[in-house]
Amino acid sequence: MTTVPLSPSPRRRAVLARRVRLLVAATIAYNVAEALVAITAGTVASSGALVAFGLDSVVEVASAAAVAWQFAARDPELVERRERKALRIIAVSFFALAAYVTADSVRALAGGGEAEHSSAGLVLAALSLLVMPFLSHAQRRAGRELGSASAVADSKQTLLCTYLSGVLLIGLAVNSLLGWSWADPVAALVIAAVAVKEGREAWRGDACCAVPPPPAPGGATVEAGCASCGPGCTCCS
């Protein structure tokens, strides 16, 4: 009977750690540019949604920087010791994002001003909707194989940015075409709730499926191997 290793070899771990560092660097670079464009365009168009999106990019930079700091260590044991602190930073970034989006959405629903059309905002939201899923998937895959809960948590932060990109794109488009200014803040409140959920998991250090489950005997499917995960775990997604 062939034995399948349950964790990557030291050489493979080094490759995965380098991959995570490169993905995090790409995420930081993109989000810095995204924040500058979104905040500038949002200020010009008086769009709270665009400004909020730009601040979300700043939060994403903080989250990615925490993972970069963790994996800057070359000693695998030091990387593991930094895991908890990185998770706490990511959790706080989720909570900060949720708090700002909620406050901005309530302000918008209460009649805090109507945004003007923003071509730059529409292009930026569409571009992010294409770029962010790739970065999130690549980092989540590397993080799970490496067994890093912080890398997986940061990939969720990036995925949340994808959702916000979709919300922003729909909100800006609907506002420009139909004048429905309430659509964006309502959808953003749903995203804020998801951010709180993800933040709680990161704060608890929930490494749900960060390490791939061992293969089930008899050639069982991956879904069967995920049966040991707790409620709400999305290891098979």
Side-chain angles (χ1 to χ4, degrees):
M1 181 177 67
T2 303
T3 301
V4 179
L6 302 183
S7 61
S9 65
R11 184 173 182 179
R12 178 61 178 169
R13 289 183 66 86
V15 170
L16 291 169
R18 183 166 60 251
R19 183 177 301 171
V20 169
R21 287 195 294 270
L22 290 174
L23 289 168
V24 166
T27 299
I28 291 175
Y30 182 85
N31 276 280
V32 168
E34 185 179 69
L36 292 174
V37 174
I39 293 175
T40 301
T43 301
V44 171
S46 299
S47 172
L50 259 175
V51 173
F53 185 73
L55 292 177
D56 163 66
S57 300
V58 175
V59 170
E60 171 65 14
V61 169
S63 174
V67 178
W69 166 74
Q70 178 190 354
F71 283 90
R74 300 297 176 175
D75 183 358
E77 292 184 0
L78 181 55
V79 171
E80 292 182 5
R81 288 199 299 270
R82 289 181 175 182
E83 179 100 346
R84 170 64 64 177
K85 291 182 179 179
L87 280 170
R88 289 296 174 88
I89 294 173
I90 293 171
V92 170
S93 71
F94 271 120
F95 294 143
L97 172 60
Y100 182 85
V101 170
T102 299
D104 185 73
S105 298
V106 170
R107 181 196 61 82
L109 290 171
E114 294 185 2
E116 300 175 3
H117 169 77
S118 175
S119 298
L122 288 168
V123 172
L124 178 64
L127 181 61
S128 296
L129 200 56
L130 294 175
V131 173
M132 289 302 178
F134 167 76
L135 290 175
S136 175
H137 175 73
Q139 187 174 343
R140 182 169 66 253
R141 184 173 180 178
R144 283 177 177 167
E145 185 177 351
L146 188 59
S148 171
S150 61
V152 173
D154 185 56
S155 75
K156 290 182 178 181
Q157 175 74 275
T158 304
L159 186 61
L160 185 62
C161 186
T162 302
Y163 297 151
L164 282 173
S165 300
V167 167
L168 177 65
L169 182 61
I170 293 173
L172 291 177
V174 168
N175 185 49
S176 295
L177 297 175
L178 302 176
W180 293 357
S181 59
W182 52 264
D184 180 48
V186 168
L189 286 173
V190 176
I191 300 299
V194 176
V196 171
K197 174 181 177 294
E198 299 293 354
R200 289 177 59 191
E201 290 181 0
W203 186 268
R204 292 196 306 262
D206 186 357
C208 173
C209 300
V211 182
T221 62
V222 175
E223 285 75 8
C226 290
S228 60
C229 296
C233 179
T234 56
C235 63
C236 297
S237 60

